[in-house]
Amino acid sequence: MTTEPGGSAGQAGSLGSRTGALLVVGDVITDVVARHQGPLAAGTDTASAIRTLPGGAGANVACWAAHRGCPEVRLLGRVGADAADWHERALAACGVRPLLVVDPEAPTGTVICLVDTGASGERTFLTDSGASLRLEPGDWSDGMLDGVARLHLSGYLLFSEPSRALVRVALDSARARGVPVSLDPASAGFLRDLGVDRFLELVDGVDLLLPSRDEACLLTGLPDPADAAAKLSRHIPLVVAKRGADGALVARAGTVTADVPAVPVHATDTTGAGDAFTGAFLGALISGATPETAAQEGCRAGALAVERVGARPPGRG
């Protein structure tokens, strides 16, 4: 069962600092990371180093926000009974307060991450969303926003009907309380299937969008990420476009206000690098940083993430 946090609501805010917790709503996934070198050998064996690790875009963002020093981070997600305890312990070890709903029917979502160590850690995902996209309005309570400075939604929630309905309820609840909302589109492939117009309709009311380069270009039809970020910021107050090794762009009111360089690093596994950026960015924003400074924090977290196998920061426990 989901438990509700207590506390008093923070002061209303928009893009600036606001005292309180970060509430993340999103996916909690079991990652099976297979690191191999060179092309997969069809029809036979490919030598790999394989690890099973906790993941999920929403959960990863929450963990990186806590790692950045956000004083309180909560995560609402849905898991199967098969791995609920393991995921709760992993989240707590990263300093996150888990608000996990145990699905009575579906297993925990699983992603197989194929990481080619001969291609700068680039990865391919095989995704079984399982319980993660079965979050529904009944899993939400307005009390979850007590004491919350910012609500962050994983874009994966937009890719199933039950979790889309939850997004609308959460957005309406946040708007009523003056709580700003951010969203990460999550997947260019799923976004393409959903449709750009449908996506933009669903995120109406979001004040901060954190797309990848590919997602920003897909949402605007523009080939240049700077042009894409600028165009998106005419519709959403703040857009931060993540460009991997090229850093990040910050755009407001139709103009790119900062081009933040990446931190040079040797990539081991790029899984979760964008989540690391988002978590550190939000943690910095809540602590009072400007979006431009927060983007620098995000780039540092992304660099740390790609040096590690898996999508999470070092745990506290």
Side-chain angles (χ1 to χ4, degrees):
M1 299 291 292
T2 301
T3 57
E4 296 177 17
S8 59
Q11 298 298 312
S14 55
L15 298 180
S17 62
R18 173 188 167 105
T19 302
L22 171 66
L23 172 62
V24 179
V25 182
D27 45 319
V28 182
I29 296 288
T30 299
D31 285 343
V32 180
V33 182
R35 300 178 65 240
H36 59 95
Q37 187 167 6
L40 296 174
T44 185
D45 297 318
T46 299
S48 306
I50 300 175
R51 294 178 63 187
T52 300
L53 300 165
N60 296 339
V61 166
C63 289
W64 282 99
H67 186 264
R68 163 55 182 74
C70 191
E72 184 181 357
V73 183
R74 309 167 188 166
L75 173 70
L76 172 63
R78 186 177 267 253
V79 295
D82 56 313
D85 291 344
W86 181 62
H87 279 290
E88 283 203 348
R89 290 193 301 270
L91 289 164
C94 284
V96 175
R97 181 177 178 184
L99 307 173
L100 299 186
V101 179
V102 179
D103 194 294
E105 299 176 4
T108 302
T110 300
V111 171
I112 298 175
C113 311
L114 304 177
V115 181
D116 185 350
T117 61
S120 300
E122 284 304 322
R123 71 272 193 259
T124 300
F125 296 146
L126 303 176
T127 302
D128 178 353
S129 297
S132 67
L133 295 190
R134 287 164 56 91
L135 272 172
E136 58 186 12
D139 298 328
W140 175 262
S141 165
D142 287 345
M144 292 180 182
L145 289 176
D146 290 350
V148 166
R150 176 171 285 278
L151 169 65
H152 178 73
L153 303 171
S154 169
Y156 281 109
L157 297 171
L158 300 178
F159 303 133
S160 80
E161 188 54 47
S163 53
R164 276 196 292 270
L166 171 66
V167 165
R168 180 45 51 195
V169 169
L171 276 170
D172 289 346
S173 181
R175 183 182 292 113
R177 292 199 180 203
V179 175
V181 182
S182 56
L183 185 139
D184 187 325
S187 168
F190 287 162
L191 183 57
R192 189 175 294 107
D193 293 339
L194 178 67
V196 170
D197 291 342
R198 179 70 170 136
F199 174 84
L200 293 174
E201 175 189 346
L202 291 168
V203 301
D204 181 44
V206 167
D207 79 284
L208 165 59
L209 190 69
L210 296 120
S212 69
R213 178 200 339 250
D214 291 346
E215 291 156 1
C217 292
L218 175 62
L219 286 169
T220 59
L222 299 174
D224 182 79
D227 292 341
K231 182 175 180 178
L232 283 171
S233 71
R234 298 188 188 104
H235 307 283
I236 296 171
L238 177 62
V239 174
V240 181
K242 299 172 286 187
R243 300 181 298 164
D246 292 327
L249 298 166
V250 180
R252 304 194 232 194
T255 301
V256 172
T257 60
D259 185 340
V260 180
V263 176
V265 66
H266 175 72
T268 297
D269 175 10
T270 59
T271 304
D275 302 334
F277 179 102
T278 296
F281 179 92
L282 294 174
L285 204 64
I286 286 174
S287 70
T290 65
E292 292 76 15
T293 300
Q296 295 173 1
E297 294 276 354
C299 286
R300 282 193 282 271
L304 177 60
V306 301
E307 291 181 316
R308 298 171 52 79
V309 175
R312 299 278 179 90
R316 297 180 181 180

